[in-house]
Amino acid sequence: MKNGTGRSGTIGRAVAGALIVLLLSYTYYCQYHSKISSLDSFLISLLLVAVLCIVLLCRKGPLFPRRMIESRRQAWLFIGVIMLGVFARTAYLGAFPPADGQYGEEARTAAHAFHNSFSPFFPLNILQSQLALRLFGNTIPGLRAPFVILGILSVPIFFVAARLLFRNFGAALAAAALFACSTFLAAGQRTASHEISGVATECLAIAALFLACARRDIASCALAGWANGLLAAEYLPYKVIPAMALLTLIVVLLRAPARPRLLPRVAAFCLCAVAVLVPIMLSDRGRPLWFVSEGFVRHRSLEAPPSLPVGALIRHWWEKAALASSFLFIRGGGHHQIIPRSMGIIEFRTGVVGCLALACCAARAVRSPAKLFLAGTVVLTVFLGGMLPSNPSLYRLIGAVPPFYLLIGMLIDDTLLAFPSRRRLLSSAWTAVFLLLVWSNLYNLLAVTVFDDSVRRSFCDPDLTLAQTIAAAREEDPAATVYLLSDKRFLGVDNDYDFLYDRARVRVVADPRDIGEPHGVLIAHDGFIAAARALPGLSGCEEWTPPLCPRRRVLRCRF
């Protein structure tokens, strides 16, 4: 009876898998012949491969090799960490990020979502933006709402990854708490940024990898492939992790005592990853692997090794490594910063502990595939994103942040296991260090970031200010025509702001004489204000300076 049940279950899974493969094949065929959009094909792929993984995982026995939470006390501590993540991502949310400013390419992402266009670079970001505009309205705060929720969800996902890796509950909880209150992540996950939104997907991919390493069955390997396929579609710094995950999985399977069959498990990982990525490959048929090197190719930032003597070459790469490392711990760079320029991605004290953890982990990486994965991911991300490009950027190192916090948890776990006779003393010492790091991150988040006017002004976007002024005028009087006196071209074909308003009744003129018979609302800015005030028939004029852009002036009148 038992064998019959197992055989029928195997046949059922095989039939379900075959049906999903057929549906995927038909979906890709339709996409290739332009019968369905790339975005729809990508969404179908996500759902079908997820169903396949769920079907494979539906069997008797626990999903995880150990219980995530073993007592009521641990449950309350876990809830406390979740609440810490919620507080760090929602405290003073109305003030930071400012509703009248944008970070990075938030408006462009919203425009892609509004027009239902597909970007092969950041498909998950566009799906989230479409959901945001439908649920919360066409506003900048509404656009950010699902990203805040996803940032909160990344905390328990990170905890699952840490718990799968560490035997000690306290080590996993400490790593998750540091992740929850990380200054850079908590501030960045309040925005609709394609650069930072991939952190949640990265946590999912890492958790799925550790689950596959623990269970070593085809189902968990397929799930890990699906999650890492999602991650390969994210921004440049996350693309290192799928390759490292596959390498780690192969090493774990080769070292397993029972020696499970390698080929079926690796094939399940690769096929599920490719099934998610095929719609992206087909979306740009001329360059199907373009997205793999998106950041380097798009910015044309690869730097050829200089022709220098050996000593000078070593010094050159040492300086590049120091610069890249400074982005992690000391300073930022570029514009649209969510942290002060004097800070790195990781808070300085946390970085010191993390560097110690990285050194200890690297010394024993050969013996432990998990340590090899974490240390290798951090080092390769810093090298590819910070040392290899000619214009290194802070945002190309984001993929190293979750593995860095896992390294800190691993250091705690290793010290507690190495000295069991001094466990109580070490636990007290680590608790003191942990509280100091949590306080430092929260202090930087609130005092140095949220209430720092220079950081808030980095969200200044004059074009967005004009677009929001137009949207407000259209909301007050939908029948009125809005005239924008400006030489701006942001209302043209490549408009990134028309998701905020209906541009059918908006006219952009550079000369007041082109207005004709004015009737409606007139908006002007900066150097056009004097010409606008010279027009006859104006009433109810308001002139103000946007709080985030003190050098700009905006005028709004009725006529």
Side-chain angles (χ1 to χ4, degrees), residues 106-124:
E106 285 183 302
R108 179 168 297 180
T109 302
H112 278 298
F114 181 73
H115 294 289
N116 200 29
S117 58
F118 181 79
S119 171
F121 299 134
F122 316 114
L124 291 177

Side-chain angles (χ1 to χ4, degrees), residues 118-131:
F118 181 79
S119 171
F121 299 134
F122 316 114
L124 291 177
N125 196 258
I126 294 175
L127 287 173
Q128 291 168 314
S129 301
Q130 286 186 334
L131 179 65

Side-chain angles (χ1 to χ4, degrees), residues 167-168 364 411-428 430:
R167 298 179 184 177
N168 186 274
R364 304 181 61 184
L411 179 62
I412 299 174
D413 190 52
D414 286 347
T415 53
L416 293 177
L417 291 175
F419 304 99
S421 60
R422 301 182 180 180
R423 184 184 185 91
R424 181 172 297 181
L425 176 62
L426 289 173
S427 298
S428 302
W430 276 121

